[in-house]
Amino acid sequence: MTHDFLRVAAGVPRLKPADDTYNADQIITMMRKASKRGVDIIAFPHMAIMGSTCGDLRFDQRYNEGVTFGLLGVLGLTGSLPIVGIVGAPLRVGDCIREAAVVFQSGRILGAVVNGGPGERFPTTNVQIAGVSFNVGSELRFRCETFTFAVTLGDDLFRPVSTSAQCATEGASVLFHLDAMPTQVGRHDALRDVVREHARRCIAGLVYVSAGHGESSTDHFFDGEAFIADRGQIVAESVPFSADEQLLISEVDLAALSHDRFRSPYFTGRNPFAPQAQRSLQDTLPFEVHTDDSPLRRTIPPHPFVPEDATARDRRCRETFRIQSHALAERLRHIGLRRAVIGISGGLDSTLALMVAIAAFDLLKLPREGIIGVTMPGFGTSDRTHDNALALMASEGITLREISIRAACEQHFRDIGHDGSPDTTYENAQARERTQILMDLANMEGALVVGTGDLSELALGWCTFNGDHMSMYSVNAGVPKTLVGAVVQWLARRTKRPETRRALLDIAETPISPELLPPSPDGAHTQQTERTLGPYELHDFFLYRFMRFGDAPRRMLFLAEQAFGGRYTRVELLGVLRTFLRRFFAQQFKRNCMPDGPAIGSISLSPRGAWQMPSDASSALWLRAVEEMEKAIKEGEK
């Protein structure tokens, strides 16, 4: 386990029905491979010791001796391995033969979970095999210091009320399901959906493994279906119709899982005094897992708000745009306004807000001339952004107004005794002048001021208080910067207007800048936001991990290194992380009085229930962790 990522595996060996020696050898070989790759827990198919298709042979005395020989062989030859193994085997319990999952580690059987029927509870009892004593029951759980796992068998996942779900609600965060499901047309996709949805509803990691090639071909064919899911996401799956053994390895994010369960009202495992938790603790057996800092096998998306897959990305962009445009249309309908005012800078945010406003007016069947787009060139406005703003507004047929803020700002500087030097006052005065123009123009026209600021800017406080921070409805408030860019590019691909497409594509490629400072003497525009703050893709990554899962700085750094794969040095990552944490805490006062705007995804900074935090909360605890990591880097360089 590394940084609360539990490394799990599903092993699908080639088996021979009723051949204990051959099957044990295959299991031992796969366990050794998995252990070398840092796996903490590996699960094998249902009845893997002897095969699941032996039928009535399981009542034969010699067959049961083979079960014992096979189990003892696996225990003896894996005794030096720290990995936890889960293998299916028939066990004689009293006068019955019970299908079971034997859980073992370092040559010792921890316990065996038997397959109870619907509503059937098999009480925990003690059995012996060749002098080896262990507990057997239908409600056994296995717990180490940081998490609990449970094992189920057979058709449990397909029951209306499953034992697996009950285990989850009682505190088991990782579920292993051993099966022997024969292959049929369409079954792989159906199983995939069942596993994914079960892991989502249970807020759990789920490892599903079924019998594979070599098991039998009498009346059924077994294809070795195997999946590893984490809270509704399939992170690894078997290759259909592979004749070779398959070893699936991935990780379950225990920290994220725990975070989600703490926020859910449906789980009692977090409460040790709940009756269900008390009952399950009686049948909880201890085990240990090793820890290391090895790289993850699973992929950590570098852009969590923007899917890598093109189809999924288009769907995300379409849903985002629909939520924004329908929300704005509903606000306009509710207050009875037929006009809107929006400041158009030629940057990403105002471009998306404009396209949302156009879509909202189209939904309401209002003339686009009712949208008043205002470009307000100032001291740092570039020809590129200005020309793109004019071209976009002209192409989309809205009302265009151009109002320069230069003279008004210069008069304001004289009024307050400012010398006009490019400092914070110089920049913020321009932002507030633009907001005043928009608000007054909206009053004059009987219109709604549509805000343009995005989620990333709100997180960092990269907006002028009572300037671009304020509007009458903020359509981008739930959209992070990386997704803003993706939606603008998506709009460019789907528009039928060539001039709109050209403008949108050029806007998407324009460096992000507030354009508040004058250009250099050679005309070059040197004020670029990402040079000051750091890349937005990193800020959005840290924002997602911090708000969605409550990750600590050390874990965020580890995941960022996994996600970006060497594109940034550790020093660079820590620098941006420091900036993110410092600004996120310091700028809460702006978010506490932000205007209404639609929530788009699982992360929102609205103070009206989505994110509540005092403006004077200290960032010292988090920044101290960053300082410790920076200190470790410096000491390592000496």
Side-chain angles (χ1 to χ4, degrees):
M1 186 163 62
T2 176
H3 290 270
D4 291 321
F5 280 89
L6 179 72
R7 187 161 295 127
V8 295
V12 186
R14 289 190 63 92
L15 301 177
K16 293 181 180 181
D19 192 334
D20 63 294
T21 301
Y22 178 85
N23 296 343
D25 287 345
Q26 303 307 303
I27 292 168
I28 292 165
T29 299
M30 292 193 78
M31 286 191 67
R32 287 172 174 167
K33 290 179 180 178
S35 187
K36 286 182 179 179
R37 296 171 67 177
V39 171
D40 299 304
I41 307 175
I42 183 171
F44 294 96
H46 184 54
M47 305 285 276
I49 287 293
M50 295 295 282
S52 64
T53 58
C54 289
D56 288 338
L57 287 176
R58 68 184 185 279
F59 303 115
D60 186 87
Q61 182 177 355
R62 186 60 178 165
Y63 172 92
N64 284 281
E65 291 175 357
V67 172
T68 301
F69 294 150
L71 277 176
L72 293 178
V74 171
L75 291 173
L77 293 177
T78 61
S80 62
L81 305 179
I83 188 172
V84 175
I86 306 171
V87 63
L91 294 181
R92 182 180 293 277
V93 183
D95 294 331
C96 300
I97 299 295
R98 308 287 304 203
E99 297 175 353
V102 180
V103 182
F104 59 97
Q105 183 182 34
S106 301
R108 180 174 63 93
I109 295 179
L110 303 176
V113 180
V114 297
N115 186 20
E120 178 186 3
R121 179 178 181 271
F122 190 91
T124 301
T125 187
N126 190 268
V127 301
Q128 285 191 357
I129 294 181
V132 178
S133 178
F134 55 93
N135 285 341
V136 175
S138 60
E139 296 188 351
L140 294 184
R141 313 287 187 266
F142 302 87
R143 178 171 180 80
C144 73
E145 184 178 351
T146 55
F147 72 97
T148 299
F149 76 84
V151 186
T152 54
L153 305 94
D155 63 351
D156 183 73
L157 291 187
F158 305 91
R159 298 174 187 171
V161 180
S162 68
T163 302
S164 181
Q166 178 183 332
C167 292
T169 59
E170 293 177 359
S173 53
V174 186
L175 309 171
F176 293 86
H177 187 79
L178 281 53
D179 207 349
M181 182 75 72
T183 299
Q184 292 181 357
V185 173
R187 178 153 288 172
H188 183 87
D189 290 340
L191 275 173
R192 190 181 197 277
D193 290 342
V194 168
V195 170
R196 180 182 56 78
E197 179 61 17
H198 194 76
R200 185 193 67 80
R201 288 189 297 107
C202 292
I203 312 182
L206 175 57
V207 179
Y208 174 95
V209 57
S210 186
H213 274 69
E215 175 68 33
S216 175
S217 60
T218 302
D219 289 313
H220 296 290
F221 177 72
F222 295 84
D223 191 28
E225 309 284 1
F227 302 92
I228 300 175
D230 185 2
R231 293 166 296 113
Q233 177 188 2
I234 299 293
V235 294
E237 63 182 294
S238 59
V239 178
F241 299 101
S242 173
D244 300 325
E245 67 176 25
Q246 298 198 60
L247 180 60
L248 269 65
I249 300 176
S250 192
E251 289 89 8
V252 172
D253 190 344
L254 296 176
L257 189 156
S258 178
H259 180 272
D260 285 356
R261 286 193 173 184
F262 273 123
R263 299 177 70 92
S264 170
Y266 304 116
F267 292 87
T268 61
R270 62 186 180 185
N271 179 4
F273 301 104
Q276 300 95 324
Q278 285 293 307
R279 186 183 69 189
S280 64
L281 285 172
Q282 295 173 5
D283 292 323
T284 300
L285 303 172
F287 72 100
E288 296 181 356
V289 296
H290 65 282
T291 58
D292 57 41
D293 287 317
S294 59
L296 300 179
R297 297 294 196 279
R298 64 185 287 181
T299 300
I300 302 298
H303 305 122
F305 298 107
V306 183
E308 295 291 332
D309 176 73
T311 301
R313 183 168 58 251
D314 285 351
R315 183 166 59 249
R316 177 74 55 84
C317 292
R318 181 172 60 252
E319 291 176 352
T320 298
F321 191 73
R322 282 180 174 175
I323 293 172
Q324 291 179 279
S325 54
H326 280 262
L328 178 58
E330 183 60 30
R331 176 55 59 96
L332 289 167
R333 183 186 292 112
H334 176 71
I335 59 181
L337 292 182
R338 300 173 60 86
R339 298 172 74 79
V341 172
I342 181 170
I344 309 299
S345 67
L348 277 174
D349 294 337
S350 65
T351 295
L352 177 56
L354 172 61
M355 300 304 288
V356 166
I358 291 169
F361 270 61
D362 290 348
L363 285 170
L364 296 171
K365 296 182 171 53
L366 296 175
R368 292 188 177 185
E369 291 81 2
I371 302 173
I372 303 172
V374 188
T375 179
M376 296 168 281
F379 302 117
T381 301
S382 66
D383 291 340
R384 181 179 184 179
T385 56
H386 181 254
D387 292 346
N388 279 334
L390 296 177
L392 185 61
M393 289 188 282
S395 177
E396 292 298 314
I398 71 167
T399 299
L400 190 157
R401 293 283 300 272
E402 180 165 325
I403 303 173
S404 174
I405 65 169
R406 284 175 174 266
C409 288
E410 289 169 348
Q411 179 61 51
H412 180 63
F413 294 151
R414 289 193 293 271
D415 291 342
I416 65 174
H418 188 271
D419 61 4
S421 59
D423 57 9
T424 301
T425 302
Y426 179 90
E427 295 187 42
N428 287 345
Q430 296 176 69
R432 293 193 178 102
E433 177 61 28
R434 287 175 172 137
T435 301
Q436 176 177 271
I437 289 172
L438 296 175
M439 291 289 184
D440 292 344
L441 188 59
N443 292 157
M444 188 173 70
E445 297 286 347
L448 178 83
V449 176
V450 178
T452 62
D454 64 48
L455 179 67
S456 304
E457 292 180 344
L458 283 168
L460 296 168
W462 194 250
C463 52
T464 298
F465 190 76
N466 205 33
D468 53 323
H469 153 261
M470 191 50 61
S471 67
M472 297 177 183
Y473 195 71
S474 185
V475 295
N476 291 341
V479 189
K481 185 74 76 177
T482 48
L483 184 54
V484 170
V487 176
V488 169
Q489 292 176 333
W490 173 77
L491 289 167
R493 292 193 297 271
R494 67 191 298 269
T495 183
K496 296 179 180 179
R497 294 182 173 88
E499 185 57 25
T500 295
R501 180 181 300 109
R502 186 211 64 77
L504 291 175
L505 290 175
D506 194 57
I507 289 169
E509 295 174 357
T510 302
I512 300 169
S513 171
E515 294 194 333
L516 297 172
L517 297 178
S520 59
D522 61 359
H525 209 294
T526 57
Q527 189 183 23
Q528 294 186 17
T529 301
E530 291 181 297
R531 290 180 181 175
T532 303
L533 294 178
Y536 266 115
E537 65 175 358
L538 290 182
H539 284 294
D540 281 359
F541 182 86
F542 293 137
L543 173 66
Y544 180 78
R545 299 304 314 186
F546 180 79
M547 291 195 62
R548 179 65 182 81
F549 302 115
D551 283 341
R554 188 173 300 278
R555 195 165 191 264
M556 283 194 279
L557 174 65
F558 172 75
L559 293 176
E561 289 181 319
Q562 300 291 305
F564 291 96
R567 286 171 50 193
Y568 301 97
T569 66
R570 178 168 291 188
V571 172
E572 290 172 327
L573 292 173
L574 283 173
V576 177
L577 180 56
R578 170 186 283 277
T579 299
F580 168 78
L581 291 170
R582 177 178 57 81
R583 294 193 64 94
F584 185 89
F585 278 83
Q587 301 294 311
Q588 176 65 23
F589 73 98
K590 295 178 182 177
R591 299 189 289 268
N592 279 340
C593 57
M594 60 184 281
D596 289 351
I600 300 300
S602 59
I603 291 177
S604 170
L605 285 167
S606 170
R608 293 168 290 277
W611 178 254
Q612 298 178 4
M613 168 182 165
S615 297
D616 47 4
S618 172
S619 61
L621 183 64
W622 287 263
L623 291 177
R624 193 157 58 241
V626 175
E627 291 169 0
E628 290 171 357
M629 290 185 283
E630 291 173 333
K631 181 180 179 181
I633 293 175
K634 292 180 180 178
E635 291 177 349
E637 292 174 348
K638 293 180 180 179

